[in-house]
Amino acid sequence: MRILVQKFGGTSVANLECMKQVREKVRRALRDGYKPVVVLSARSGETNRLLTLADEWSTDPDPAEVDALIATGEQVSVALFSMLLKDSGIKARSMTGFQVPITTSDAFGRARITDIDASCLRKELETHDVIVVAGFQGVTSEGRITTLGRGGSDTSAVALAAALGSVECEIYTDVDGVYTTDPNLCSTARKLDRVSYDEMLEMASMGAKVLQIRSVEFAKKYKVPVHVRSTFTDTPGTMVTQEDCEMEAVLVSGIAYDKDQARVTLRSVPDKPGVSAAIFGPLSQQGILVDMIVQNPSRDGVTDMTFTVPRKDLKKTLALMEEIRARTGAQEVLHDTQVAKVSAIGVGMRNHSGVAAKAFAALHAENINILMISTSEIKITCLIEEKYTELAVRTLHDAFGLNHDLGNA
Amino acid sequence: MRILVQKFGGTSVANLECMKQVREKVRRALRDGYKPVVVLSARSGETNRLLTLADEWSTDPDPAEVDALIATGEQVSVALFSMLLKDSGIKARSMTGFQVPITTSDAFGRARITDIDASCLRKELETHDVIVVAGFQGVTSEGRITTLGRGGSDTSAVALAAALGSVECEIYTDVDGVYTTDPNLCSTARKLDRVSYDEMLEMASMGAKVLQIRSVEFAKKYKVPVHVRSTFTDTPGTMVTQEDCEMEAVLVSGIAYDKDQARVTLRSVPDKPGVSAAIFGPLSQQGILVDMIVQNPSRDGVTDMTFTVPRKDLKKTLALMEEIRARTGAQEVLHDTQVAKVSAIGVGMRNHSGVAAKAFAALHAENINILMISTSEIKITCLIEEKYTELAVRTLHDAFGLNHDLGNA
């Protein structure tokens, strides 16, 4: 039995017309000799509708009940789609998270998959053409309904693909693959045929919305090839997979950017042991994700600490920094929301020097000032003034030859 | 632990305001020292909304998927109500049919409860003040979601009351109890303090919408006292319970009527063995519920067969009768939709003669012509012209002294 997991998001199942296009994708898999396991999200808007109800009913909705409430969204999707398949003579049935079962932790609203018992699903596949599974949801070992957090259906799909030994995990979405950069910013952006898990992780963390980070981590861990493709066309998309020699020949695979950043500086803070912990401990306790951090060399026993946080967390961050400023005797707290991150990502840069220098030179040639720099093994990130974002993306895209099909070695 | 099952229908949970009134009923039970198990229906309109979706998605919706679809309605109710209780400091949690579990047959859309394992619910009651259970739904032994048919939440509640040893099963609705007859027709209609299971069954089958028939059968079988009362007042309602001597002192407990009737006559059908089977076999195969049947004495080897069916089934019935007329050589098929059934119901009539005569005399005194008669141990039913329905109800109500509190012995 050759199993193929196919996942469709909220816009793909929004209404009857969309679901009919989804049915065509399932039909093609059947024609190709697969037993499809179809993972669906809630119809677009449904989860928000239910969350609005929860907020009307309660000032502080119980997370376990919120999960029981919103899990109905996917249940509606899979029941409706199974009906549609049966109407066309395809033997299908729906399964919810508890029916599979997809066992998770009891962290309601952001549960982690701990186990998938695929035996029941496999047995059902013997007597059915297609099984339609509710994504985004699971059940605790105590039998309570959980959800995996926004975008969790991707993770459901990849985890099912791993558990079932699916040849690959198809993730259908409203774009036709992963691009070298945002096509809206850069007309020469090119669809990638392949991208490595690590590159995809860096792109996802930089705000590329194609795949949820956790699903990529899952895919990497279980070596599940993920095929990102469009519900609304028939062309192959991008294969997210393990890196190979061919990939390493390419220095940079993509340029990502993130405008959702704010920069915060604590000026003239006494440079004593423990000062970093004093600053970043409270931020982490509040669940604020600090990304880039730069500490200036100490002078006269004081230093400047600069870091970036998501813009939505700026207010909370400034309040915390004001406390810390008072406690540590730092001079002042500065902030700037007119900043953006631009990154060049590629597994190939691991084995090559000069990539950073090339990026800096290209930005400099366009008079784009670099405010902060951070690098990882496969990523170089520059913080720049927000107004230069589009120019910087196009500049780096050109500098690394991403508009040409043959790479940039 | 004293457990009290409280069931609230769709209009009682329609919106936040209604649910707040439901919360008051739960609070009262808590103050009275009970552990309430609250059974909820879907919010009014929700099941129909989902069924409309099913009809859009499929020309012949798969019953198993319809159940998976509409079971979400109750799941939404119990999650929202549990949030509301927790907001007021009441330790509550929701449970769906599969979580209890309420095991049923696999007759999707009209499943029968086969077992309730109350051990998990009992355990949860040790650490919670209230458990909120989704009515109307269950799960097969194979783990598929089922529903019990319209009004099935009453049955869920009574079955849970039986399984949990609840002191009684409170069924909250938008009327404040069971009446001697329809108060809209008869201003002297009186709320009954008590009514027997058998009387309630006869009243329910006559179209009194207060309780679903299957829930009364369940209550009778497991001897669960059912307390029918209003969500919107605090007065005690009607106790549906086993009959006792006091009840038998009352000849007639209530007058019911049913305007949803059509009369069909097959004229001059050859009176041969097997003719009844030839007529009623096909009707039963089509699921048409034949109620009253009268066969005139045979004359010249032919007879007239007259019976009643629900009006919605008249068209199908006439088509079948036309076939049978042609096959049996009967003269013609007549029908009349301007008819209604009026019944006097009471366990007391078992031990007394003359009840039927009294009913006929009363109707005759008002010049109401009786078209057909059928009697059971505890019920006398007359088919009359529809236009006399209200008058007939009031006439019988008076004749049996139901307007007086002390009965009609």
Side-chain angles (χ1 to χ4, degrees), chain A residues 107-129:
Chain A
F108 297 104
R110 51 190 169 82
R112 300 248 155 193
I113 296 175
T114 54
D115 186 47
I116 293 183
D117 179 355
S119 57
C120 175
L121 216 163
R122 276 185 181 284
K123 195 161 150 268
E124 291 296 311
L125 274 177
E126 282 167 19
T127 51
H128 290 83
D129 302 321

Side-chain angles (χ1 to χ4, degrees), chain B residues 233-273:
Chain B
T233 70
D234 261 336
T235 49
T238 300
M239 194 63 86
V240 186
T241 180
Q242 284 183 279
E243 65 195 70
D244 57 23
C245 303
E246 205 182 310
M247 282 177 175
E248 290 192 3
V250 182
L251 280 188
V252 170
S253 299
I255 309 297
Y257 68 95
D258 182 2
K259 290 185 172 184
D260 178 33
Q261 291 289 310
R263 180 173 59 149
V264 177
T265 301
L266 197 59
R267 273 275 296 276
S268 298
V269 57
D271 191 9
K272 286 185 289 198

Side-chain angles (χ1 to χ4, degrees), chain A residues 221-244:
Chain A
K221 185 170 172 191
Y222 293 100
K223 301 189 177 59
V224 177
V226 176
H227 189 173
V228 179
R229 56 196 308 186
S230 165
T231 311
F232 307 107
T233 70
D234 262 335
T235 49
T238 301
M239 195 63 87
V240 186
T241 179
Q242 284 183 280
E243 64 193 73
D244 56 26

Side-chain angles (χ1 to χ4, degrees), chain B residues 64-82:
Chain B
E65 301 300 345
V66 171
D67 279 5
L69 180 71
I70 61 178
T72 61
E74 282 73 22
Q75 190 168 326
V76 167
S77 290
V78 296
L80 289 175
F81 188 62
S82 299

Side-chain angles (χ1 to χ4, degrees), chain B residues 265-272 275-276 279 294-306 328-332:
Chain B
T265 301
L266 197 59
R267 273 275 296 276
S268 298
V269 57
D271 191 9
K272 286 185 289 198
V275 72
S276 294
I279 294 171
V294 170
Q295 181 177 358
N296 285 5
S298 185
R299 199 168 52 185
D300 303 331
V302 294
T303 183
D304 294 347
M305 285 289 228
T306 303
T328 59
Q331 190 188 334
E332 60 181 335

Side-chain angles (χ1 to χ4, degrees), chain A residues 58-59 65 68 75 87 94 99, chain B residues 58-59 65 68 75 87 94 143:
Chain A
S58 169
T59 50
E65 300 302 343
Q75 190 168 325
D87 252 28
S94 67
Q99 286 175 323
Chain B
S58 169
T59 50
E65 301 300 345
Q75 190 168 326
D87 252 28
S94 67

